[in-house]
Amino acid sequence: DSLLLIQLKSSNYELADNLQPASLPILLEEINHKFQKAAQEKNVTVDLKISKPVNLMVDSSLLKRAIGYGVDNAIKFSPSGGAVTIATETVSESHIVIHITDQGPGIDPDLKDRVFEEFSIQDVLHLQKGFGISLALVNRICILMGGTVSIDNQPGKGATLTMTLPVITEDP
């Protein structure tokens, strides 16, 4: 993952070479399927709620990684018996939002502004579960694809990772 982050930050990286039309519902179904075993092992349910089928012009492999990092974090930080929700929301004709919500402890308010910086998460709970670069990768991937990412945090109740991405109107 560190190597991927370095490659994505490189001025020589050409995302345009890898852009293809992709169906967001299909990508999300694949991600949901991929994480079912991890969720079951943790006794966490993963719910997928798609508001409207849309197509994106993306590097599917990178987008799946970005969404996967969000889902993986949500499962890791959700308590046994908890739930993770992957939901889409159409915010305009040109953009779709993907929300990944967990029921974990949330993010320390003192660290919230730095979660998208690589290696910035320093709390003990996080260091036991990751290396602190997954959200930096999510951020970089979203930016490269013309989108944005943010976190809505409710300490003690969970967090929501929100990715906003441009859509295309033609079929893939």
Side-chain angles (χ1 to χ4, degrees), residues 61-163:
S61 175
L62 280 180
L63 183 58
K64 283 195 252 185
R65 282 183 90 159
I67 297 168
Y69 289 135
V71 173
D72 185 53
N73 281 343
I75 292 169
K76 283 179 187 175
F77 291 104
S78 288
S80 177
V84 169
T85 303
I86 308 166
T88 65
E89 174 187 4
T90 305
V91 293
S92 71
E93 288 295 318
S94 61
H95 287 84
I96 189 92
V97 172
I98 303 164
H99 300 287
I100 302 168
T101 304
D102 67 46
Q103 296 176 333
I107 299 166
D108 181 332
D110 295 333
L111 299 173
K112 183 180 177 251
D113 292 337
R114 297 184 11 235
V115 296
F116 296 113
E117 298 172 14
E118 61 244 44
F119 309 110
S120 67
I121 301 298
Q122 298 171 357
D123 59 300
V124 174
L125 176 64
H126 187 272
L127 289 176
Q128 292 175 351
K129 298 188 181 200
F131 297 106
I133 63 169
S134 61
L135 293 179
L137 278 163
V138 171
N139 185 45
R140 188 68 188 150
I141 290 167
C142 284
I143 289 170
L144 284 170
M145 294 189 196
T148 61
V149 65
S150 63
I151 288 212
D152 180 34
N153 185 41
Q154 295 185 341
K157 296 181 181 177
T160 299
L161 178 70
T162 299
M163 293 178 262

Side-chain angles (χ1 to χ4, degrees), residues 39-58:
Q40 288 171 354
E41 288 173 357
K42 181 101 186 262
N43 191 30
V44 171
T45 60
V46 179
D47 297 316
L48 181 58
K49 299 177 181 178
I50 298 171
S51 64
K52 176 182 173 184
V54 297
N55 298 316
L56 310 172
M57 183 64 74
V58 294

